[in-house]
mmCIF file of all heavy atoms in Angstrom:
data_model
loop_
_atom_site.group_PDB
_atom_site.id
_atom_site.type_symbol
_atom_site.label_atom_id
_atom_site.label_comp_id
_atom_site.label_asym_id
_atom_site.label_seq_id
_atom_site.Cartn_x
_atom_site.Cartn_y
_atom_site.Cartn_z
ATOM 1 N N LEU A 421 -6.580 -29.562 -9.847
ATOM 2 C CA LEU A 421 -5.911 -30.636 -10.595
ATOM 3 C C LEU A 421 -6.791 -31.872 -10.653
ATOM 4 O O LEU A 421 -6.923 -32.518 -11.697
ATOM 5 C CB LEU A 421 -4.553 -30.972 -9.947
ATOM 6 C CG LEU A 421 -3.466 -29.899 -10.089
ATOM 7 C CD1 LEU A 421 -2.239 -30.265 -9.259
ATOM 8 C CD2 LEU A 421 -3.056 -29.725 -11.558
ATOM 9 N N LYS A 422 -7.443 -32.194 -9.521
ATOM 10 C CA LYS A 422 -8.306 -33.386 -9.489
ATOM 11 C C LYS A 422 -9.453 -33.266 -10.490
ATOM 12 O O LYS A 422 -9.807 -34.234 -11.154
ATOM 13 C CB LYS A 422 -8.889 -33.573 -8.083
ATOM 14 C CG LYS A 422 -7.958 -34.314 -7.159
ATOM 15 C CD LYS A 422 -8.705 -34.763 -5.919
ATOM 16 C CE LYS A 422 -7.814 -35.551 -5.008
ATOM 17 N NZ LYS A 422 -8.280 -35.458 -3.608
ATOM 18 N N ALA A 423 -10.014 -32.058 -10.579
ATOM 19 C CA ALA A 423 -11.112 -31.841 -11.534
ATOM 20 C C ALA A 423 -10.630 -32.019 -12.971
ATOM 21 O O ALA A 423 -11.427 -32.118 -13.892
ATOM 22 C CB ALA A 423 -11.698 -30.452 -11.337
ATOM 23 N N HIS A 424 -9.308 -32.037 -13.158
ATOM 24 C CA HIS A 424 -8.756 -32.227 -14.504
ATOM 25 C C HIS A 424 -7.974 -33.539 -14.583
ATOM 26 O O HIS A 424 -7.019 -33.674 -15.370
ATOM 27 C CB HIS A 424 -7.896 -31.019 -14.895
ATOM 28 C CG HIS A 424 -8.724 -29.778 -15.079
ATOM 29 N ND1 HIS A 424 -9.113 -28.991 -14.025
ATOM 30 C CD2 HIS A 424 -9.303 -29.248 -16.183
ATOM 31 C CE1 HIS A 424 -9.874 -28.007 -14.478
ATOM 32 N NE2 HIS A 424 -10.008 -28.139 -15.776
ATOM 33 N N GLY A 425 -8.362 -34.469 -13.729
ATOM 34 C CA GLY A 425 -7.856 -35.836 -13.836
ATOM 35 C C GLY A 425 -6.450 -36.081 -13.346
ATOM 36 O O GLY A 425 -5.820 -37.081 -13.698
ATOM 37 N N THR A 426 -5.918 -35.165 -12.530
ATOM 38 C CA THR A 426 -4.559 -35.400 -12.028
ATOM 39 C C THR A 426 -4.465 -34.909 -10.579
ATOM 40 O O THR A 426 -5.484 -34.602 -9.966
ATOM 41 C CB THR A 426 -3.519 -34.744 -12.974
ATOM 42 O OG1 THR A 426 -2.222 -34.982 -12.459
ATOM 43 C CG2 THR A 426 -3.739 -33.257 -13.155
ATOM 44 N N SER A 427 -3.273 -34.860 -10.012
ATOM 45 C CA SER A 427 -3.128 -34.392 -8.622
ATOM 46 C C SER A 427 -1.687 -33.941 -8.404
ATOM 47 O O SER A 427 -0.851 -34.056 -9.301
ATOM 48 C CB SER A 427 -3.477 -35.522 -7.650
ATOM 49 O OG SER A 427 -2.407 -36.446 -7.628
ATOM 50 N N LEU A 428 -1.417 -33.466 -7.212
ATOM 51 C CA LEU A 428 -0.062 -32.971 -6.924
ATOM 52 C C LEU A 428 0.956 -34.100 -6.739
ATOM 53 O O LEU A 428 2.161 -33.877 -6.850
ATOM 54 C CB LEU A 428 -0.083 -32.092 -5.664
ATOM 55 C CG LEU A 428 -0.465 -30.627 -5.879
ATOM 56 C CD1 LEU A 428 -0.822 -29.961 -4.566
ATOM 57 C CD2 LEU A 428 0.669 -29.849 -6.564
ATOM 58 N N LYS A 429 0.464 -35.246 -6.442
ATOM 59 C CA LYS A 429 1.360 -36.379 -6.169
ATOM 60 C C LYS A 429 2.350 -36.592 -7.324
ATOM 61 O O LYS A 429 1.942 -36.691 -8.483
ATOM 62 C CB LYS A 429 0.523 -37.638 -5.967
ATOM 63 C CG LYS A 429 1.261 -38.746 -5.259
ATOM 64 C CD LYS A 429 0.272 -39.824 -4.848
ATOM 65 C CE LYS A 429 0.878 -41.109 -4.404
ATOM 66 N NZ LYS A 429 2.050 -41.154 -3.664
ATOM 67 N N GLY A 430 3.629 -36.588 -6.965
ATOM 68 C CA GLY A 430 4.657 -36.835 -7.979
ATOM 69 C C GLY A 430 5.015 -35.621 -8.824
ATOM 70 O O GLY A 430 5.896 -35.683 -9.674
ATOM 71 N N LYS A 431 4.346 -34.483 -8.587
ATOM 72 C CA LYS A 431 4.618 -33.288 -9.405
ATOM 73 C C LYS A 431 5.823 -32.508 -8.840
ATOM 74 O O LYS A 431 6.076 -32.522 -7.631
ATOM 75 C CB LYS A 431 3.401 -32.343 -9.407
ATOM 76 C CG LYS A 431 2.142 -32.962 -10.006
ATOM 77 C CD LYS A 431 2.113 -32.795 -11.505
ATOM 78 C CE LYS A 431 0.794 -33.211 -12.120
ATOM 79 N NZ LYS A 431 0.380 -34.593 -11.846
ATOM 80 N N THR A 432 6.487 -31.797 -9.718
ATOM 81 C CA THR A 432 7.560 -30.893 -9.305
ATOM 82 C C THR A 432 6.982 -29.477 -9.247
ATOM 83 O O THR A 432 6.215 -29.086 -10.134
ATOM 84 C CB THR A 432 8.709 -30.938 -10.337
ATOM 85 O OG1 THR A 432 9.085 -32.302 -10.490
ATOM 86 C CG2 THR A 432 9.905 -30.155 -9.860
ATOM 87 N N VAL A 433 7.337 -28.733 -8.194
ATOM 88 C CA VAL A 433 6.689 -27.435 -7.948
ATOM 89 C C VAL A 433 7.738 -26.334 -7.752
ATOM 90 O O VAL A 433 8.731 -26.538 -7.041
ATOM 91 C CB VAL A 433 5.797 -27.517 -6.674
ATOM 92 C CG1 VAL A 433 5.137 -26.182 -6.375
ATOM 93 C CG2 VAL A 433 4.745 -28.618 -6.814
ATOM 94 N N ALA A 434 7.494 -25.184 -8.364
ATOM 95 C CA ALA A 434 8.311 -23.988 -8.084
ATOM 96 C C ALA A 434 7.519 -23.075 -7.166
ATOM 97 O O ALA A 434 6.389 -22.701 -7.490
ATOM 98 C CB ALA A 434 8.638 -23.253 -9.376
ATOM 99 N N VAL A 435 8.087 -22.727 -6.023
ATOM 100 C CA VAL A 435 7.479 -21.743 -5.115
ATOM 101 C C VAL A 435 8.384 -20.523 -5.139
ATOM 102 O O VAL A 435 9.614 -20.656 -5.150
ATOM 103 C CB VAL A 435 7.369 -22.325 -3.681
ATOM 104 C CG1 VAL A 435 7.069 -21.239 -2.657
ATOM 105 C CG2 VAL A 435 6.296 -23.417 -3.621
ATOM 106 N N SER A 436 7.796 -19.327 -5.173
ATOM 107 C CA SER A 436 8.602 -18.113 -4.965
ATOM 108 C C SER A 436 8.245 -17.545 -3.609
ATOM 109 O O SER A 436 7.167 -17.810 -3.079
ATOM 110 C CB SER A 436 8.337 -17.076 -6.053
ATOM 111 O OG SER A 436 6.999 -16.612 -5.938
ATOM 112 N N GLY A 437 9.164 -16.730 -3.049
ATOM 113 C CA GLY A 437 8.976 -16.221 -1.694
ATOM 114 C C GLY A 437 9.480 -17.244 -0.688
ATOM 115 O O GLY A 437 9.724 -18.421 -1.037
ATOM 116 N N SER A 438 9.664 -16.789 0.541
ATOM 117 C CA SER A 438 10.053 -17.719 1.612
ATOM 118 C C SER A 438 9.495 -17.195 2.923
ATOM 119 O O SER A 438 10.084 -17.379 3.993
ATOM 120 C CB SER A 438 11.579 -17.852 1.684
ATOM 121 O OG SER A 438 12.174 -16.557 1.702
ATOM 122 N N GLY A 439 8.352 -16.524 2.827
ATOM 123 C CA GLY A 439 7.685 -16.000 4.017
ATOM 124 C C GLY A 439 6.560 -16.919 4.442
ATOM 125 O O GLY A 439 6.547 -18.113 4.118
ATOM 126 N N ASN A 440 5.577 -16.347 5.124
ATOM 127 C CA ASN A 440 4.483 -17.137 5.690
ATOM 128 C C ASN A 440 3.777 -17.994 4.642
ATOM 129 O O ASN A 440 3.601 -19.206 4.828
ATOM 130 C CB ASN A 440 3.500 -16.184 6.385
ATOM 131 C CG ASN A 440 2.276 -16.914 6.867
ATOM 132 O OD1 ASN A 440 1.254 -16.955 6.188
ATOM 133 N ND2 ASN A 440 2.374 -17.540 8.021
ATOM 134 N N VAL A 441 3.368 -17.402 3.549
ATOM 135 C CA VAL A 441 2.587 -18.143 2.550
ATOM 136 C C VAL A 441 3.447 -19.219 1.885
ATOM 137 O O VAL A 441 3.034 -20.385 1.766
ATOM 138 C CB VAL A 441 1.989 -17.182 1.497
ATOM 139 C CG1 VAL A 441 1.177 -17.944 0.467
ATOM 140 C CG2 VAL A 441 1.128 -16.111 2.171
ATOM 141 N N ALA A 442 4.656 -18.836 1.474
ATOM 142 C CA ALA A 442 5.542 -19.768 0.765
ATOM 143 C C ALA A 442 5.890 -20.976 1.631
ATOM 144 O O ALA A 442 5.878 -22.123 1.168
ATOM 145 C CB ALA A 442 6.812 -19.027 0.351
ATOM 146 N N ILE A 443 6.183 -20.739 2.888
ATOM 147 C CA ILE A 443 6.618 -21.824 3.784
ATOM 148 C C ILE A 443 5.517 -22.873 3.951
ATOM 149 O O ILE A 443 5.747 -24.080 3.804
ATOM 150 C CB ILE A 443 7.056 -21.253 5.155
ATOM 151 C CG1 ILE A 443 8.426 -20.574 5.003
ATOM 152 C CG2 ILE A 443 7.098 -22.342 6.236
ATOM 153 C CD1 ILE A 443 8.950 -19.877 6.260
ATOM 154 N N TYR A 444 4.281 -22.411 4.205
ATOM 155 C CA TYR A 444 3.224 -23.402 4.477
ATOM 156 C C TYR A 444 2.638 -23.995 3.195
ATOM 157 O O TYR A 444 2.100 -25.097 3.216
ATOM 158 C CB TYR A 444 2.198 -22.826 5.453
ATOM 159 C CG TYR A 444 2.888 -22.658 6.790
ATOM 160 C CD1 TYR A 444 3.427 -21.429 7.182
ATOM 161 C CD2 TYR A 444 3.128 -23.765 7.599
ATOM 162 C CE1 TYR A 444 4.150 -21.300 8.359
ATOM 163 C CE2 TYR A 444 3.856 -23.648 8.768
ATOM 164 C CZ TYR A 444 4.360 -22.411 9.147
ATOM 165 O OH TYR A 444 5.095 -22.305 10.293
ATOM 166 N N ALA A 445 2.823 -23.315 2.076
ATOM 167 C CA ALA A 445 2.463 -23.924 0.786
ATOM 168 C C ALA A 445 3.450 -25.057 0.497
ATOM 169 O O ALA A 445 3.067 -26.154 0.078
ATOM 170 C CB ALA A 445 2.496 -22.885 -0.325
ATOM 171 N N THR A 446 4.717 -24.794 0.750
ATOM 172 C CA THR A 446 5.741 -25.818 0.532
ATOM 173 C C THR A 446 5.475 -27.032 1.423
ATOM 174 O O THR A 446 5.548 -28.186 0.987
ATOM 175 C CB THR A 446 7.140 -25.210 0.825
ATOM 176 O OG1 THR A 446 7.345 -24.125 -0.079
ATOM 177 C CG2 THR A 446 8.247 -26.231 0.660
ATOM 178 N N GLN A 447 5.131 -26.763 2.675
ATOM 179 C CA GLN A 447 4.881 -27.857 3.624
ATOM 180 C C GLN A 447 3.729 -28.748 3.141
ATOM 181 O O GLN A 447 3.848 -29.966 3.096
ATOM 182 C CB GLN A 447 4.554 -27.269 4.995
ATOM 183 C CG GLN A 447 4.336 -28.319 6.061
ATOM 184 C CD GLN A 447 4.456 -27.714 7.456
ATOM 185 O OE1 GLN A 447 5.404 -26.980 7.756
ATOM 186 N NE2 GLN A 447 3.504 -27.988 8.316
ATOM 187 N N LYS A 448 2.613 -28.137 2.780
ATOM 188 C CA LYS A 448 1.433 -28.932 2.394
ATOM 189 C C LYS A 448 1.647 -29.622 1.046
ATOM 190 O O LYS A 448 1.279 -30.783 0.873
ATOM 191 C CB LYS A 448 0.190 -28.031 2.383
ATOM 192 C CG LYS A 448 -1.114 -28.735 2.168
ATOM 193 C CD LYS A 448 -1.382 -29.936 3.086
ATOM 194 C CE LYS A 448 -1.755 -29.557 4.501
ATOM 195 N NZ LYS A 448 -2.068 -30.756 5.351
ATOM 196 N N ALA A 449 2.275 -28.933 0.107
ATOM 197 C CA ALA A 449 2.519 -29.566 -1.203
ATOM 198 C C ALA A 449 3.404 -30.796 -1.020
ATOM 199 O O ALA A 449 3.175 -31.846 -1.632
ATOM 200 C CB ALA A 449 3.168 -28.558 -2.155
ATOM 201 N N THR A 450 4.393 -30.685 -0.155
ATOM 202 C CA THR A 450 5.292 -31.818 0.104
ATOM 203 C C THR A 450 4.518 -32.969 0.754
ATOM 204 O O THR A 450 4.663 -34.128 0.367
ATOM 205 C CB THR A 450 6.468 -31.352 1.005
ATOM 206 O OG1 THR A 450 7.041 -30.185 0.414
ATOM 207 C CG2 THR A 450 7.533 -32.427 1.144
ATOM 208 N N GLU A 451 3.649 -32.604 1.704
ATOM 209 C CA GLU A 451 2.818 -33.638 2.361
ATOM 210 C C GLU A 451 1.934 -34.377 1.365
ATOM 211 O O GLU A 451 1.652 -35.556 1.540
ATOM 212 C CB GLU A 451 1.891 -32.960 3.377
ATOM 213 C CG GLU A 451 2.389 -32.992 4.802
ATOM 214 C CD GLU A 451 1.444 -32.195 5.695
ATOM 215 O OE1 GLU A 451 0.218 -32.483 5.724
ATOM 216 O OE2 GLU A 451 1.938 -31.274 6.352
ATOM 217 N N LEU A 452 1.489 -33.671 0.337
ATOM 218 C CA LEU A 452 0.626 -34.302 -0.663
ATOM 219 C C LEU A 452 1.421 -35.025 -1.761
ATOM 220 O O LEU A 452 0.870 -35.414 -2.782
ATOM 221 C CB LEU A 452 -0.328 -33.277 -1.288
ATOM 222 C CG LEU A 452 -1.360 -32.644 -0.352
ATOM 223 C CD1 LEU A 452 -2.352 -31.788 -1.125
ATOM 224 C CD2 LEU A 452 -2.121 -33.709 0.441
ATOM 225 N N GLY A 453 2.730 -35.141 -1.550
ATOM 226 C CA GLY A 453 3.525 -35.965 -2.464
ATOM 227 C C GLY A 453 4.187 -35.221 -3.605
ATOM 228 O O GLY A 453 4.716 -35.836 -4.529
ATOM 229 N N ALA A 454 4.172 -33.876 -3.546
ATOM 230 C CA ALA A 454 4.877 -33.104 -4.586
ATOM 231 C C ALA A 454 6.308 -32.827 -4.111
ATOM 232 O O ALA A 454 6.619 -32.986 -2.928
ATOM 233 C CB ALA A 454 4.148 -31.792 -4.842
ATOM 234 N N LYS A 455 7.148 -32.418 -5.056
ATOM 235 C CA LYS A 455 8.511 -32.029 -4.690
ATOM 236 C C LYS A 455 8.706 -30.551 -5.022
ATOM 237 O O LYS A 455 8.693 -30.171 -6.196
ATOM 238 C CB LYS A 455 9.529 -32.897 -5.436
ATOM 239 C CG LYS A 455 10.958 -32.596 -5.008
ATOM 240 C CD LYS A 455 11.931 -33.670 -5.422
ATOM 241 C CE LYS A 455 12.264 -33.556 -6.890
ATOM 242 N NZ LYS A 455 13.405 -34.381 -7.296
ATOM 243 N N VAL A 456 8.862 -29.738 -3.988
ATOM 244 C CA VAL A 456 9.089 -28.304 -4.195
ATOM 245 C C VAL A 456 10.589 -28.089 -4.355
ATOM 246 O O VAL A 456 11.372 -28.488 -3.488
ATOM 247 C CB VAL A 456 8.546 -27.483 -3.002
ATOM 248 C CG1 VAL A 456 8.851 -25.998 -3.186
ATOM 249 C CG2 VAL A 456 7.048 -27.704 -2.841
ATOM 250 N N VAL A 457 10.995 -27.479 -5.478
ATOM 251 C CA VAL A 457 12.436 -27.383 -5.751
ATOM 252 C C VAL A 457 12.998 -25.961 -5.690
ATOM 253 O O VAL A 457 14.206 -25.780 -5.818
ATOM 254 C CB VAL A 457 12.782 -28.025 -7.121
ATOM 255 C CG1 VAL A 457 12.570 -29.536 -7.064
ATOM 256 C CG2 VAL A 457 11.974 -27.402 -8.254
#
Side-chain angles (χ1 to χ4, degrees):
L421 290 173
K422 276 194 178 154
H424 292 82
T426 180
S427 75
L428 276 164
K429 199 168 167 37
K431 298 274 188 303
T432 306
V433 179
V435 166
S436 66
S438 49
N440 174 265
V441 180
I443 286 176
Y444 292 97
T446 299
Q447 182 162 312
K448 187 51 75 177
T450 309
E451 262 176 56
L452 295 187
K455 184 164 77 168
V456 177
V457 292

